[in-house]
Amino acid sequence: MRNLLIFILFFLISNLSAAQQSNSEALAAHYFQNGEYDKAVVIYEDLYKKSRNSNYYDPYFTCLLRLKKYDAAEQLTRKLQKLNPQNYTYPVDLGRISLEKGEKENAEYLFNSLIKNLPKNEFAIRDLATNFYRAEAYDLSIKTFLAGRKLLNDEKSFGFDLISLYRYRKDKLMLMNEYITMLESTPEILTQAQNSLANLLEEPSDYEILKTSLLRRIQKDPQNVSYTEFLVWVYIQQKEFSMAVKQSLALDRRLKEDGERVFELSRILTGNMAYEQAIEALEYLAQKGEESRYYLPSKIDLLNLKTKMLTTGKFSQEELLNLEKDYEYLLDKFGRNSGTSFAIRQLASLQAYYLKKPQAAITELENLLDLPALNSLVIAKAKLELGDIFILSGEVWDAALIYGQVEKQFANEPSGQEAKFKNARLSYFQGDFLWAKAQLDVLKASTSQLFANDALNLRLLITDNLQNEADTNALKMYAQADLLIFKNQSDPALLILDSIESKFPGNSLTDDILMSKAKIHITKNEFKPAVAELQKIYDNFSFDLWADDAIFMLADLNENKLNQPEKAKILYQKIISDYPGSLFVIEARKRFRNLRGDSAGS
């Protein structure tokens, strides 16, 4: 019984002591974090002397330094150094004391002696480097690792440690070299290298240095695939897309690959709007033959790209007819079925809007809708496209009927909302503004941001221009021009737009007319006239409906068509700062950061 009481008493005393120690730790940490070192040092000194726990050494030592109690700090450190002669913590801290006292030469002599006298032992090298890092002496930590490499006669040792230090120090040149060295034996580090350097390299000269280093290494070690992959990435960052294709094709041939890397590159090139180079890559894949797993995907992407290039720029009738033949060849070879529905729809669009064959396009889409096993999304899109082509061919009743089918069949879904918007737009084209406005009022609350915004813009256009007879008549002409733009008849549309002001001087459509003309010029690759129209909106209508659209379009043209990145950056910044509610804010912020170099190549 007596022994039990003694045990209980000992247990209670131990718990009480532990609780007191825990409270003291918390209080000391609180003082330390608040910079109240005079209060913290008393508690840490007591905790350390009672427990000799090394966890209390660092904050205790730091408090002594902050309070300039150098003698006490030196006495503590030398005592611990005698007890732990192999531990680099204490000689490094003695150097720190010398630095705090202003004895820089003594500190440098001590630090250099520690590095000079390193043993040929990886653990010891890492221990010293880690203690320099703890002391925020990053350059000395790097120096230690590099000296360790020489001792161990291994230029790849401590690679990850050095990469972390170079990244922290933002030492671009050394980081490049270290990654290149590491790639020789650790190819899986390539993605990390690309991501790290994308966030660090800012100037074209940075990429030139990296490219030169890689080319030298490839000459030395041409069999290392990682170096060539890295070089392709650099070419993409520099927008040297032809060189990226050349290197990728050469690598595919040399390694006798199946084309995967070339296909992935073609997608990157497409995303960068390097269409000609993407086509070069895809044609290489198509030439591998039908047995290749990338044959069909490459043929599909080729058609998509050629369509995009021809239908968004200047083109000849011969080029369009050749593109039509390419689609028909693909459909004849692989059949008209649910799997090739995308090609049928694109062929119909080409025939309707560019080859002036609306009836052929209607037949293609009607036959598509008769195919079995079509998913609902394809059905909705095909019907909406068919409705658009009915408008093109003047069959407005059929257009309204098929839009109504989609609206009913896909009620409360994006396709149904799109159909309602298209029906409202059809009424607007026909000059039935009040009925169009009634339908657009319903769409204001659309769950789809895209159609809610389109509906709002068209509704505001109608509402703002029904105030008097002159404005209403001007709106009727504007709607006729809009219909011609929809039909891809830009020249007669421009004639109507230019004549509105002369027929109805002082009308309220000036900024809308400027925006329509700018869009027409952009589709015709007439960028300078487009900039002139957008600049007028920017200068004279900065608080109206089209202001943020005009600024974003100006920025996009300067960035991607006119090679004026600094102008583009200023305009993107204006969107962010002056139009925080704009739908373009997120994209403007992304592009601004990219131009500033925050995420190069992303």
Side-chain angles (χ1 to χ4, degrees):
M1 183 68 180
R2 184 169 175 271
N3 289 337
L4 178 61
L5 290 172
I6 291 172
F7 173 78
I8 292 172
L9 182 61
F10 177 77
F11 178 77
L12 291 172
I13 292 171
S14 297
N15 279 352
L16 179 62
S17 176
Q20 288 174 339
Q21 181 173 322
S22 178
N23 290 336
S24 296
E25 280 184 38
L27 185 60
H30 172 74
Y31 288 142
F32 187 88
Q33 289 167 3
N34 288 337
E36 299 176 76
Y37 302 114
D38 54 334
K39 296 178 182 178
V41 74
V42 175
I43 303 174
Y44 278 127
E45 181 180 12
D46 181 61
L47 288 168
Y48 181 74
K49 286 182 176 178
K50 285 180 179 178
S51 67
R52 299 297 175 183
N53 188 330
S54 60
N55 290 332
Y56 300 128
Y57 167 76
D58 266 350
Y60 179 30
F61 175 80
T62 302
C63 285
L64 292 173
L65 281 189
R66 295 289 185 271
L67 295 169
K68 302 185 186 302
K69 294 184 177 184
Y70 303 130
D71 290 341
E74 187 172 345
Q75 184 180 2
L76 169 69
T77 306
R78 288 194 183 281
K79 184 177 180 180
L80 288 169
Q81 186 181 19
K82 287 181 181 179
L83 295 172
N84 304 277
Q86 304 302 318
N87 191 325
Y88 282 110
T89 299
Y90 308 113
V92 169
D93 282 351
L94 286 172
R96 292 171 66 188
I97 295 169
S98 294
L99 284 175
E100 289 287 334
K101 291 166 68 176
E103 300 169 357
K104 185 178 179 182
E105 288 185 5
N106 288 344
E108 288 179 351
Y109 177 80
L110 174 58
F111 291 150
N112 287 327
S113 296
L114 290 171
I115 296 172
K116 184 178 179 180
N117 295 310
L118 272 169
K120 191 176 181 180
N121 179 288
E122 183 178 342
F123 177 81
I125 296 164
R126 194 179 299 280
D127 183 35
L128 179 57
T130 301
N131 276 290
F132 280 135
Y133 185 87
R134 181 179 64 88
E136 299 182 0
Y138 306 114
D139 289 340
L140 288 170
S141 186
I142 291 170
K143 189 176 180 180
T144 302
F145 281 128
L146 294 176
R149 277 185 169 175
K150 290 183 179 179
L151 278 171
L152 300 175
N153 194 27
D154 181 5
E155 70 165 358
K156 301 181 188 68
S157 58
F158 311 114
F160 287 103
D161 304 280
L162 285 165
I163 281 171
S164 296
L165 284 162
Y166 293 142
R167 285 169 66 183
Y168 183 79
R169 301 289 285 167
K170 295 187 176 180
D171 188 332
K172 293 184 281 191
L173 183 59
M174 293 306 294
L175 185 59
M176 289 180 211
N177 291 336
E178 196 59 44
Y179 272 128
I180 290 172
T181 299
M182 289 285 289
L183 278 171
E184 185 175 342
S185 58
T186 317
E188 59 270 19
I189 204 174
L190 178 58
T191 300
Q192 183 196 115
Q194 292 168 346
N195 291 336
S196 297
L197 292 173
N199 291 319
L200 189 59
L201 305 187
E202 298 171 346
E203 303 297 330
S205 57
D206 295 335
Y207 285 101
E208 280 297 321
I209 292 169
L210 177 57
K211 181 170 70 177
T212 302
S213 298
L214 284 168
L215 286 169
R216 285 175 182 162
R217 188 58 71 107
I218 289 170
Q219 286 179 338
K220 179 182 175 183
D221 184 8
Q223 300 307 313
N224 192 316
V225 175
S226 298
Y227 294 141
T228 305
E229 290 177 332
F230 206 175
L231 182 61
V232 169
W233 178 83
V234 173
Y235 283 135
I236 292 171
Q237 310 316 300
Q238 294 184 296
K239 298 190 182 300
E240 295 182 21
F241 300 122
S242 293
M243 291 301 298
V245 173
K246 181 180 178 181
Q247 288 290 336
S248 294
L249 298 191
L251 197 58
D252 185 84
R253 291 189 188 102
R254 178 157 64 85
L255 300 177
K256 298 180 180 179
E257 295 180 330
D258 64 354
E260 180 178 1
R261 76 173 66 250
V262 178
F263 188 73
E264 289 176 356
L265 175 63
S266 73
R267 293 289 174 90
I268 294 171
L269 295 170
T270 301
N272 282 275
M273 294 186 287
Y275 299 140
E276 291 182 4
Q277 292 81 6
I279 286 175
E280 182 184 352
L282 291 167
E283 286 179 339
Y284 167 82
L285 292 173
Q287 288 168 6
K288 281 179 174 282
E290 296 179 25
E291 66 281 0
S292 167
R293 71 183 177 118
Y294 287 105
Y295 176 77
L296 181 57
S298 64
K299 294 291 283 186
I300 291 168
D301 281 6
L302 269 171
L303 285 174
N304 287 336
L305 274 176
K306 288 181 178 179
T307 300
K308 186 175 290 187
M309 288 181 68
L310 291 179
T311 59
T312 58
K314 295 179 179 178
F315 46 81
S316 68
Q317 189 70 8
E318 183 182 358
E319 288 172 323
L320 292 172
L321 289 170
N322 286 336
L323 185 56
E324 182 185 34
K325 288 177 183 177
D326 287 342
Y327 273 113
E328 289 173 342
Y329 173 81
L330 180 75
L331 291 170
D332 288 343
K333 187 167 190 60
F334 296 100
R336 283 169 165 77
N337 51 59
S338 59
T340 56
S341 61
F342 71 94
I344 297 171
R345 289 170 47 216
Q346 287 179 343
L347 173 59
S349 177
L350 177 69
Q351 291 172 328
Y353 295 98
Y354 297 94
L355 291 172
K356 313 302 180 188
K357 298 179 179 179
Q359 291 306 317
I362 289 170
T363 301
E364 287 287 357
L365 290 176
E366 287 179 337
N367 289 339
L368 169 62
L369 289 168
D370 288 336
L371 292 175
L374 286 182
N375 68 52
S376 58
L377 184 61
V378 171
I379 292 171
K381 287 186 176 297
K383 284 190 172 184
L384 290 171
E385 290 160 1
L386 183 57
D388 292 347
I389 295 171
F390 279 139
I391 295 176
L392 203 63
S393 62
E395 301 169 74
V396 292
W397 172 249
D398 290 326
L401 186 64
I402 203 161
Y403 289 151
Q405 288 178 11
V406 177
E407 185 181 340
K408 183 177 180 180
Q409 188 176 354
F410 300 93
N412 301 319
E413 293 181 26
S415 296
Q417 293 163 7
E418 184 177 0
K420 182 178 283 292
F421 172 75
K422 286 177 179 285
N423 240 335
R425 186 185 60 185
L426 178 57
S427 297
Y428 155 74
F429 284 153
Q430 294 176 295
D432 193 348
F433 300 132
L434 294 179
W435 176 243
K437 181 177 175 297
Q439 292 174 292
L440 293 166
D441 285 338
V442 177
L443 274 172
K444 281 195 301 180
S446 169
T447 55
S448 167
Q449 184 67 52
L450 174 64
F451 298 118
N453 189 60
D454 286 345
L456 177 62
N457 286 344
L458 185 54
R459 182 185 178 279
L460 288 173
L461 173 69
I462 293 171
T463 303
D464 291 348
N465 294 284
L466 293 180
Q467 305 303 315
N468 56 63
E469 186 177 352
D471 283 348
T472 301
N473 288 330
L475 182 61
K476 287 180 180 178
M477 288 186 67
Y478 183 80
Q480 291 171 9
D482 245 356
L483 177 58
L484 290 171
I485 293 170
F486 175 78
K487 291 182 174 183
N488 199 29
Q489 298 176 22
S490 55
D491 290 336
L494 279 173
L495 289 175
I496 293 177
L497 291 171
D498 287 335
S499 66
I500 293 175
E501 180 61 31
S502 60
K503 289 192 175 182
F504 303 101
N507 69 81
S508 53
L509 283 163
T510 305
D511 57 330
D512 301 288
I513 292 170
L514 291 171
M515 177 55 72
S516 292
K517 290 168 70 175
K519 289 178 178 179
I520 289 172
H521 288 308
I522 289 172
T523 60
K524 298 172 73 175
N525 284 338
E526 298 169 351
F527 302 125
K528 288 186 178 180
V531 167
E533 305 293 0
L534 293 169
Q535 191 68 43
K536 291 175 187 176
I537 299 175
Y538 179 34
D539 293 338
N540 303 313
F541 301 94
S542 59
F543 299 102
D544 288 347
L545 177 66
W546 292 114
D548 57 326
D549 298 69
I551 296 168
F552 186 84
M553 290 165 68
L554 271 174
D556 180 68
L557 287 172
N558 277 289
E559 178 187 6
N560 295 308
K561 301 297 183 183
L562 303 176
N563 196 28
Q564 298 283 348
E566 288 304 314
K567 285 185 180 180
K569 194 160 65 172
I570 292 169
L571 291 163
Y572 287 134
Q573 180 63 60
K574 188 170 184 65
I575 291 279
I576 297 165
S577 59
D578 294 2
Y579 301 89
S582 170
L583 290 175
F584 299 109
V585 164
I586 294 174
E587 181 65 19
R589 185 175 290 114
K590 174 184 171 184
R591 295 195 188 191
F592 173 80
R593 288 173 175 169
N594 188 46
L595 288 172
R596 192 173 60 183
D598 293 4
S599 53
S602 62

